[in-house]
Amino acid sequence: MKRTYPMLTAEEAAALVHHDEVIGFSGFTPAGAAKVIPTAIAANARIQHAAGRPFKVGVITGASTGPSLDGELANADAIKFRTPYQSNKDLRDSINAGKTHFFDMHLSLLPQYVRYGFLGELDWAIVEAADVSVDGKILLTTSVGAAPTFLTQAKRILIEVNSRHPKELLGFHDIYEPQSPPHRRPIPICNAEDRIGTQRVWVDPKKIVGIVESNREDEVKEFTPVTDITTRIGEHVAEFLAAELRNGHIPKDFLPIQSGVGNVANAVLSAMGAHPEIPRFQMYTEVIQDSVIDLIQQDRCSFVSGSSLTLSNSVLQGVYDHLESYRGRMLLRPQEITNNPEIVRRIGIISINTALEADIFGNINSTHVLGQKMMNGIGGSGDFTRNAYISIFTCPSTAKGGNISAIVPMCSHMDHSEHSVQVLVTEHGVADLRGKDPRERASAIIRNCVDPSYQDLLWTYFKLTENGHTPQSFRSAFAFHETFLQSGDMHDTKF
Amino acid sequence: MKRTYPMLTAEEAAALVHHDEVIGFSGFTPAGAAKVIPTAIAANARIQHAAGRPFKVGVITGASTGPSLDGELANADAIKFRTPYQSNKDLRDSINAGKTHFFDMHLSLLPQYVRYGFLGELDWAIVEAADVSVDGKILLTTSVGAAPTFLTQAKRILIEVNSRHPKELLGFHDIYEPQSPPHRRPIPICNAEDRIGTQRVWVDPKKIVGIVESNREDEVKEFTPVTDITTRIGEHVAEFLAAELRNGHIPKDFLPIQSGVGNVANAVLSAMGAHPEIPRFQMYTEVIQDSVIDLIQQDRCSFVSGSSLTLSNSVLQGVYDHLESYRGRMLLRPQEITNNPEIVRRIGIISINTALEADIFGNINSTHVLGQKMMNGIGGSGDFTRNAYISIFTCPSTAKGGNISAIVPMCSHMDHSEHSVQVLVTEHGVADLRGKDPRERASAIIRNCVDPSYQDLLWTYFKLTENGHTPQSFRSAFAFHETFLQSGDMHDTKF
């Protein structure tokens, strides 16, 4: 089947890409990311740079990718601009040094930004696939992300056909792309498991200029294990949700769960799975992590809809070894659908996301370390939290061995305002912010969530500033941060 | 017809309401707000207080109301808590003095918060109506807001039947309440003019404990006239939109407009109406102001959907005098529908809202004067901007005769993060922030939007802090605000 398309080496494919072009790469997390072609583009960039020629490309993806895409291109100084999300150390360094323009955006918006032309023309879609038919039907691998939009919008297409992924993945994807206004219709998902699209992405086969063979593994990092602190956060979340079930705020059959990425998210899912009062539940989330596979195997999660299977290699192999047992229990969708405000609000998602920093009024910093340095990006957190049935943010109450309080007088950067944050949870407890004014929120957060060693300091700040609807002091709002920069310990703060 | 319900005086109705009860009042802006009963409740509160008895009630509305509701109850110190929005001076003073708990929330969320029980039980719905049938069908007046939810959720109902509003309003409302998850279905609006509900609110007539007659006018304030500055802001917005039409970013038939409330919004609508390249357009907005009626009369606006007819008394009388000519050209909907993220995103609204303060990175303060004092609330701005096709914020570049720059190093309070702000417009020009990283955004905003007298200061701040993805200085972020508090003029800022 594939013989009708030119078979290229990665180097031949990379040579087709020119300076200043804009590329949409597959990948939503390292899962399903293009690998061999971007690495070859980076190698070509180094050759061009050595010859004194400029070579930088615009890099658009679904979300983060792996070292062979973001890492290689950043190291080769080959990225002109990058959107919408990243999590690669080398790329992050380049962004924070002001060398790479990074446009941090809500993941649900990326595909429509591309369609509307807000990011300019897309020269290339470079996409990993498990299979391609002669008539241009592309079977994606472990993620969907924004690949369907890149494939339909790009002028030309290069495909990495990765033999590591079985063709039996056919049926695990649900490809649907909304029309642009004024022609858009309701997205007909009323339940996490509703199937609304095609199994493959359909493109004009004439746009496919070549295929490169690959058998590279996804570059998913193993998460560090659950700790005492993350376990306690997980237990608080599970107990809060059980109490909401008891008091009738959550319907008896429960509601679909969205859970962020990382160790705290793993601990939360594990605690929910273990809680006797929480019924078997569905997930409508972004990233399907190892812990979700555990829940499916335990039959605690009845169905998961996501945009990527971000699994460690051994867990992914386990899924592939028993693929038929997962059929009908999971679906991979475009990020425009997994994260869509319309669906999130309609089906009543309970969202659980991690904060980098929170303030005593319930505002959240998801992106910037000490206000300046980009960590990864806002990702899907805004898509979910703004529209959730109940929006929960979690974080350990301290960092750096206790020298940083994750809860401060004022966030050093703000991504989610108080209006999108309904519950804050640390290892110390739960602050339910619904219906509370800023002073009441501050009291609940300091009392229930702040580490005891920082409570007096935060009460001092709060009392110092007590006037107006939202008490604050311009002089002292960042005293915690300034003290940390000076002494290395926020405990040394003096107001 | 009305004779089947007990006819009460306002005082008799007010006497039914007890201390500590929670009331949902009609009103979205002063339009359609309950008037005679809340004033009588305030009078009763004063009597109770004079007798040494406690008397405070929880006050939930659609949005702001008029002096006879928020003003009277605040002056009588009779409000236990208030949500979701207000714009009354006396109530604002009480909130900022910490005497009234005010929960500032996205207006689209209020009805579902009430239904989900997140705000506790609703003892009363007190609603203005143009008519009530014996079988419990209530014809609302100049607003819908959250009245349908209050009527269906409250234990008991009191109705002010206001003879000032004609019964021929039947057909101008479209009442639709979504089901709660997991039973919610798509809201079937694909076009601003789609009708999806009933003409009246249907309630169990047994819940209606009494009717009070009224003929009080809506207490809508006249807006101050358009100025040179607001005219220029309007022209910049209109020209930006015309350019987006020309370059194909906006479809040829245009997209529905959402416009905030106030003088800048009036100027923007006026400029759009006058621009030769902007076609006749629809509006899908929250508040229908006088300027929208002008556009309808000029046939520049072909249809308007909103939650309230917030018209000055003379303009409202003009509409009533020719009501049939407006039939089929306007529709009043619940705020949960006018502001619904699902619809906003689907139909591709162009949102135009006013900022109180912006920062050089494109973050917006919509609510807090100098970070502490609540002005009105976030209102619907978050509902629209987050989901808009293009989200525009406008503001005059300075305030207080130039002593305040509306654009500062860091917002003193943040309601809308950079992620929800695509275009910033002042009288000086337009900053298009799409696809730009924080440094690029700062350059565009300082160059195009900041008042020339503040440009050097903001460049100094920007250069002072140039490291990281989002340059900022903890020490100087609020230097503008601190200087203003000290000298009364932000121009005196020293970094």
Side-chain angles (χ1 to χ4, degrees):
Chain A
M1 298 288 261
K2 278 173 267 161
R3 256 165 286 148
T4 60
Y5 303 109
M7 300 302 293
L8 307 175
T9 64
E11 292 67 31
E12 289 167 341
L16 299 172
V17 175
H18 299 108
H19 171 59
D20 224 28
E21 291 186 326
V22 178
I23 309 170
F25 286 106
S26 69
F28 191 93
T29 76
K35 298 170 194 78
V36 296
I37 302 176
T39 297
I41 293 172
N44 184 40
R46 288 192 187 91
I47 293 168
Q48 301 300 323
H49 295 166
R53 287 188 286 269
F55 190 98
K56 285 195 174 197
V57 290
V59 176
I60 308 179
T61 60
S64 60
T65 69
S68 63
L69 200 168
D70 275 331
E72 288 286 337
L73 289 169
N75 277 328
D77 196 19
I79 303 182
K80 188 174 63 170
F81 74 84
R82 180 74 178 88
T83 196
Y85 186 85
Q86 56 75 41
S87 66
N88 180 274
K89 187 186 175 306
D90 296 318
L91 177 54
R92 184 185 295 137
D93 289 346
S94 175
I95 288 167
N96 286 321
K99 283 167 64 184
T100 298
H101 296 296
F102 176 57
F103 179 48
D104 176 25
M105 63 186 297
H106 297 300
L107 297 185
S108 75
L109 287 176
L110 185 272
Q112 73 181 38
Y113 256 58
V114 169
R115 276 200 306 278
Y116 299 168
F118 293 171
L119 298 173
E121 294 198 326
L122 201 60
D123 298 293
W124 291 98
I126 300 181
V127 169
E128 184 181 84
D131 199 16
V132 188
S133 75
V134 287
D135 59 345
K137 297 198 170 67
I138 297 166
L139 175 63
L140 297 172
T141 63
T142 42
S143 72
V144 177
T149 298
F150 298 153
L151 288 163
T152 54
Q153 297 296 315
K155 294 175 203 161
R156 297 197 287 171
I157 295 169
L158 286 164
I159 297 180
E160 295 184 10
V161 174
N162 190 327
S163 56
R164 190 168 289 275
H165 300 285
K167 296 188 178 38
E168 290 72 23
L169 276 176
L170 185 71
F172 280 83
H173 307 87
D174 188 43
I175 310 299
Y176 176 97
E177 203 173 359
Q179 286 201 278
S180 295
H183 306 293
R184 193 175 291 183
R185 313 296 300 175
I187 301 169
I189 293 174
C190 294
N191 188 293
E193 62 190 57
D194 288 345
R195 182 181 279 283
I196 62 172
T198 58
Q199 299 181 330
R200 294 175 292 180
V201 185
W202 296 12
V203 302
D204 176 355
K206 288 198 289 291
K207 291 208 305 185
I208 302 176
V209 299
I211 284 182
V212 176
E213 291 187 326
S214 161
N215 74 339
R216 294 273 296 277
E217 286 184 330
D218 278 339
E219 299 160 325
V220 176
K221 277 187 277 191
E222 308 266 344
F223 287 109
T224 51
V226 164
T227 65
D228 270 6
I229 286 175
T230 56
T231 299
R232 268 183 285 157
I233 293 173
E235 287 168 355
H236 285 307
V237 171
E239 180 48 35
F240 169 80
L241 293 174
E244 288 287 286
L245 265 170
R246 260 177 253 135
N247 69 22
H249 283 167
I250 297 177
K252 278 192 190 124
D253 293 338
F254 217 58
L255 289 168
I257 296 294
Q258 176 266 329
S259 168
V261 183
N263 301 322
V264 177
N266 276 326
V268 167
L269 289 176
S270 168
M272 287 182 58
H275 200 291
E277 288 175 80
I278 295 180
R280 193 167 173 257
F281 58 90
Q282 294 193 323
M283 294 187 67
Y284 194 87
T285 195
E286 213 179 41
V287 174
I288 303 173
Q289 298 189 104
D290 287 1
S291 53
V292 179
I293 302 301
D294 291 344
L295 290 174
I296 291 178
Q297 286 173 347
Q298 297 157 15
D299 203 30
R300 292 291 287 144
C301 174
S302 58
F303 191 90
V304 60
S305 162
S307 199
S308 70
L309 265 178
T310 304
L311 305 179
S312 56
N313 289 319
S314 59
V315 174
L316 180 63
Q317 194 54 53
V319 169
Y320 283 173
D321 289 344
H322 305 89
L323 195 57
E324 291 314 307
S325 71
Y326 291 93
R327 195 175 294 279
R329 301 201 63 177
M330 56 170 62
L331 214 47
L332 295 176
R333 306 181 189 271
Q335 68 200 74
E336 192 169 9
I337 304 302
T338 54
N339 291 32
N340 199 288
E342 170 176 344
I343 313 301
V344 172
R345 183 103 158 219
R346 179 185 304 144
I347 70 177
I349 279 174
I350 296 167
S351 75
I352 308 162
N353 290 286
T354 309
L356 196 61
E357 178 177 79
D359 69 30
I360 56 173
F361 301 109
N363 301 288
I364 300 288
N365 172 9
S366 294
T367 56
H368 282 68
V369 177
L370 288 164
Q372 299 206 13
K373 298 223 166 171
M374 171 55 64
M375 191 68 180
N376 300 331
I378 194 166
S381 56
D383 294 322
F384 292 108
T385 58
R386 176 65 69 89
N387 297 292
Y389 187 95
I390 300 176
S391 155
I392 301 171
F393 275 92
T394 60
C395 64
S397 69
T398 63
K400 298 266 179 208
N403 289 355
I404 287 179
S405 175
I407 301 171
V408 294
M410 179 182 259
C411 283
S412 59
H413 181 92
M414 197 188 300
D415 294 292
H416 307 288
S417 75
E418 49 177 274
H419 310 283
S420 295
V421 183
Q422 291 163 12
V423 182
L424 184 66
V425 181
T426 68
E427 72 275 22
H428 297 297
V430 175
D432 183 350
L433 309 177
R434 288 172 295 180
K436 292 193 170 68
D437 74 16
R439 293 154 195 264
E440 296 171 307
R441 287 201 297 269
S443 295
I445 290 173
I446 298 174
R447 192 172 299 117
N448 300 344
C449 297
V450 164
D451 187 78
S453 70
Y454 285 105
Q455 285 181 337
D456 286 348
L457 276 172
L458 287 167
W459 283 123
T460 302
Y461 174 80
F462 181 59
K463 280 164 191 162
L464 174 82
T465 59
E466 206 158 346
N467 74 76
H469 179 61
T470 301
Q472 69 170 252
S473 155
F474 291 129
R475 182 54 54 98
S476 304
F478 297 130
F480 270 43
H481 304 89
E482 291 189 82
T483 302
F484 178 77
L485 289 175
Q486 283 158 17
S487 82
D489 188 348
M490 287 185 179
H491 286 110
D492 298 334
T493 304
K494 305 258 182 304
F495 290 112
Chain B
M1 296 285 263
K2 277 173 267 164
R3 255 164 287 146
T4 61
Y5 303 109
M7 300 301 294
L8 307 176
T9 64
E11 292 68 30
E12 288 167 339
L16 299 172
V17 175
H18 300 109
H19 170 61
D20 223 28
E21 290 186 326
V22 178
I23 308 170
F25 286 106
S26 69
F28 191 92
T29 76
K35 298 170 193 76
V36 296
I37 303 177
T39 296
I41 293 172
N44 185 38
R46 288 192 187 90
I47 293 167
Q48 301 301 322
H49 295 164
R53 286 187 288 268
F55 191 98
K56 285 195 174 197
V57 290
V59 176
I60 309 180
T61 60
S64 61
T65 69
S68 63
L69 199 168
D70 276 330
E72 288 286 337
L73 289 169
N75 277 329
D77 196 17
I79 303 183
K80 187 173 64 169
F81 74 85
R82 180 74 177 88
T83 195
Y85 186 86
Q86 56 75 42
S87 66
N88 179 275
K89 188 187 175 306
D90 296 318
L91 177 53
R92 185 184 294 136
D93 289 346
S94 175
I95 289 166
N96 286 321
K99 283 167 64 184
T100 298
H101 296 296
F102 175 57
F103 179 48
D104 176 25
M105 63 186 298
H106 298 300
L107 297 185
S108 76
L109 286 176
L110 186 271
Q112 73 180 37
Y113 256 59
V114 170
R115 277 199 306 278
Y116 299 167
F118 294 171
L119 298 173
E121 294 197 329
L122 201 60
D123 297 294
W124 291 98
I126 300 181
V127 169
E128 183 181 86
D131 198 17
V132 188
S133 75
V134 286
D135 58 346
K137 297 199 171 67
I138 297 167
L139 175 62
L140 297 173
T141 63
T142 43
S143 71
V144 178
T149 299
F150 299 152
L151 288 164
T152 54
Q153 296 296 315
K155 294 175 203 163
R156 297 197 286 171
I157 295 169
L158 286 164
I159 297 181
E160 295 184 10
V161 174
N162 190 327
S163 57
R164 190 168 290 274
H165 301 285
K167 295 185 179 42
E168 290 71 24
L169 276 176
L170 186 70
F172 279 83
H173 308 85
D174 187 44
I175 310 298
Y176 176 97
E177 203 174 0
Q179 286 201 277
S180 296
H183 305 293
R184 193 175 292 183
R185 313 296 300 173
I187 301 168
I189 293 175
C190 294
N191 190 293
E193 63 190 57
D194 288 345
R195 183 181 278 282
I196 63 173
T198 58
Q199 299 181 331
R200 294 174 291 180
V201 186
W202 296 13
V203 303
D204 177 355
K206 288 196 288 291
K207 291 208 306 184
I208 301 176
V209 298
I211 285 182
V212 176
E213 290 187 326
S214 161
N215 74 340
R216 294 273 294 276
E217 287 185 332
D218 279 339
E219 299 159 323
V220 175
K221 277 187 278 191
E222 308 267 342
F223 287 107
T224 52
V226 165
T227 65
D228 271 5
I229 286 177
T230 57
T231 299
R232 270 184 282 158
I233 293 172
E235 288 167 355
H236 285 308
V237 171
E239 181 47 35
F240 169 80
L241 293 174
E244 288 286 287
L245 265 171
R246 261 177 252 134
N247 69 21
H249 284 167
I250 296 177
K252 278 190 192 127
D253 293 338
F254 217 60
L255 290 168
I257 295 294
Q258 176 266 329
S259 169
V261 184
N263 300 323
V264 177
N266 276 326
V268 167
L269 289 176
S270 167
M272 286 182 58
H275 200 291
E277 289 175 80
I278 295 180
R280 191 168 173 258
F281 58 89
Q282 295 193 321
M283 294 188 67
Y284 193 87
T285 195
E286 212 179 43
V287 174
I288 303 173
Q289 298 189 105
D290 286 1
S291 53
V292 179
I293 302 302
D294 291 344
L295 289 174
I296 291 178
Q297 286 172 348
Q298 297 156 15
D299 203 30
R300 292 291 288 146
C301 175
S302 58
F303 191 90
V304 61
S305 162
S307 199
S308 70
L309 266 178
T310 304
L311 304 179
S312 57
N313 289 319
S314 59
V315 174
L316 180 63
Q317 194 53 54
V319 169
Y320 282 173
D321 289 344
H322 305 89
L323 195 57
E324 291 315 306
S325 71
Y326 292 93
R327 196 175 293 278
R329 301 200 64 175
M330 56 169 62
L331 214 46
L332 296 176
R333 306 180 189 271
Q335 67 199 76
E336 192 169 10
I337 304 301
T338 55
N339 291 32
N340 199 288
E342 170 176 344
I343 312 302
V344 173
R345 183 104 159 218
R346 179 185 303 143
I347 70 177
I349 279 174
I350 296 168
S351 75
I352 308 163
N353 290 285
T354 308
L356 195 62
E357 177 177 79
D359 69 30
I360 55 173
F361 301 109
N363 301 290
I364 300 289
N365 172 8
S366 294
T367 56
H368 283 68
V369 177
L370 288 165
Q372 299 205 12
K373 297 223 166 171
M374 172 55 65
M375 190 68 181
N376 300 333
I378 193 165
S381 57
D383 295 322
F384 292 108
T385 59
R386 177 63 71 87
N387 297 293
Y389 187 95
I390 300 176
S391 156
I392 301 172
F393 275 91
T394 59
C395 63
S397 69
T398 63
K400 298 265 178 210
N403 289 356
I404 287 179
S405 174
I407 300 171
V408 292
M410 180 181 257
C411 282
S412 60
H413 181 93
M414 197 190 301
D415 294 292
H416 307 288
S417 73
E418 49 177 272
H419 310 284
S420 295
V421 184
Q422 290 163 13
V423 183
L424 184 66
V425 180
T426 68
E427 73 275 23
H428 297 296
V430 175
D432 182 351
L433 309 177
R434 288 172 295 179
K436 292 194 171 66
D437 74 17
R439 293 155 194 264
E440 295 171 307
R441 287 202 296 269
S443 295
I445 289 173
I446 298 174
R447 191 172 299 117
N448 300 344
C449 297
V450 165
D451 187 78
S453 69
Y454 285 105
Q455 285 181 336
D456 285 347
L457 275 171
L458 287 169
W459 284 123
T460 302
Y461 174 80
F462 181 59
K463 280 164 190 164
L464 175 82
T465 59
E466 205 159 346
N467 73 76
H469 178 61
T470 300
Q472 69 169 253
S473 155
F474 291 130
R475 182 53 54 97
S476 304
F478 296 130
F480 271 42
H481 304 88
E482 291 188 82
T483 302
F484 178 78
L485 289 175
Q486 283 157 18
S487 82
D489 188 349
M490 288 186 178
H491 286 110
D492 297 334
T493 304
K494 304 258 181 302
F495 289 113

